[in-house]
Amino acid sequence: MPEAKEVIVRVKRQVSPQGSPYWEEFALPWRPAMNVIICLRDIAENPVTRDGKKTAPISYDSNCLEEVCGSCAMLINGKARMACSALVDKLDQPIRLEPFSKFPVVRDLAVDRQVLFENLKAVKAWVPIDGTYDLGPGPRMTAEQQEAAYPLSRCISCCCCMEVCPQFNDETGFVGAATIAQVRLFNTHPTGAALERERLAALMGDGGIQECGYAQNCVEACPKDIPLTRSISEVGGAVMKQAIGDLFRK
Ligand code: SF4
Ligand code: SF4
Ligand code: FES
């Protein structure tokens, strides 16, 4: 009888935000169509390392299991990507799993990505329709407007674009590509455009759009193929126009 196939997974672990990282290796029975989340679930069912040591199940985030919720992002063989769509058969072994390096580790593979949500708040990434009375129907969007907006609306807040960005670090405080793309999305929305000036103003100054070095790592890492570099150049042009206009208005 042929030997049963094994999947070897190495996981970088950390018990708490202050803890020191360490590695553990696991050998799992191979199954067809396995992905990285299935590996982590199998480990949770039988948390024993390859050398027979009983250990704690691995902490990680996941929800939708179909690349929609954005929560399962991690470094897989050194690449920022979604664990639920990372098929074992397409990965070199041993499969190396690490938490994102630019976000605080909560535990094991789970990181705190709050910074993205703070950045989205700072640029008011929403359509302002809250109120106590019926505002009536909004302006209709043309098919062309909808087509342009759709790719931008696919952002799943996974933060892959920020993890791979050389400019996203504590020194620059750069907001990152995802936030800039959402500025473009909401500024091109007929109702959302009411906050256009405020959004562009939020991207000026330290940590703003001028921090982008245009290295384009972001667009390559984005699992949803969001046109990030095009968004950065369009929003960058609008920020510049507004800044110059403001200068003359003074
Ligand atoms: S183009 Fe480069 S510097 Fe700009 S957001 Fe993307 S990865 Fe970062
Ligand atoms: S722009 Fe792409 S990589 Fe960045 S958070 Fe959104 S989906 Fe993820
Ligand atoms: S579990 Fe939702 S994107 Fe992977």
Side-chain angles (χ1 to χ4, degrees), residues 12-99:
K12 192 176 187 184
R13 309 200 60 176
Q14 188 171 323
V15 289
S16 67
Q18 290 75 34
S20 305
Y22 61 98
W23 288 88
E24 278 183 348
E25 193 164 288
F26 301 86
L28 311 169
W30 177 90
R31 282 186 274 140
M34 259 179 130
N35 63 32
V36 166
I37 294 289
I38 293 177
C39 293
L40 292 167
R41 282 185 178 177
D42 285 358
I43 294 171
E45 272 177 24
N46 181 30
V48 176
T49 62
R50 196 178 183 190
D51 52 12
K53 188 172 71 96
K54 189 116 178 80
T55 185
I58 295 155
S59 293
Y60 61 96
D61 287 315
S62 79
N63 190 355
C64 69
L65 306 182
E66 54 180 358
E67 216 180 61
V68 169
C69 75
S71 65
C72 68
M74 59 183 72
L75 294 175
I76 300 173
N77 287 351
K79 198 172 163 212
R81 56 181 299 186
M82 313 311 295
C84 65
S85 56
L87 295 174
V88 162
D89 288 348
K90 296 200 170 158
L91 294 169
D92 288 338
Q93 290 199 36
I95 299 169
R96 256 180 317 119
L97 305 182
E98 295 169 77

Side-chain angles (χ1 to χ4, degrees), residues 102-183:
K102 298 198 179 167
F103 297 79
V105 172
V106 177
R107 186 181 167 118
D108 296 334
L109 301 171
V111 296
D112 180 354
R113 289 173 296 152
Q114 184 65 21
V115 61
L116 173 57
F117 302 102
E118 295 304 328
N119 291 346
L120 292 172
K121 274 197 254 170
V123 299
K124 299 186 194 282
W126 56 76
V127 175
I129 51 163
D130 282 351
T132 51
Y133 57 93
D134 183 3
L135 296 169
R140 291 182 80 92
M141 287 178 80
T142 64
E144 290 74 31
Q145 281 173 319
Q146 289 174 32
E147 242 166 68
Y150 183 68
L152 301 167
S153 73
R154 286 164 37 98
C155 177
I156 56 174
S157 304
C158 64
C159 298
C160 287
C161 56
M162 294 149 84
E163 171 70 16
V164 300
C165 173
Q167 292 298 98
F168 179 73
N169 54 52
D170 289 344
E171 219 167 281
T172 64
F174 179 40
V175 292
T179 300
I180 297 169
Q182 293 309 293
V183 166

Side-chain angles (χ1 to χ4, degrees), residues 197 201 204-205 240-250:
R197 280 191 62 79
M204 291 175 195
M240 182 72 83
K241 205 167 145 203
Q242 180 163 308
I244 293 170
D246 289 350
L247 211 61
F248 283 108
R249 233 172 271 131
K250 275 184 188 161

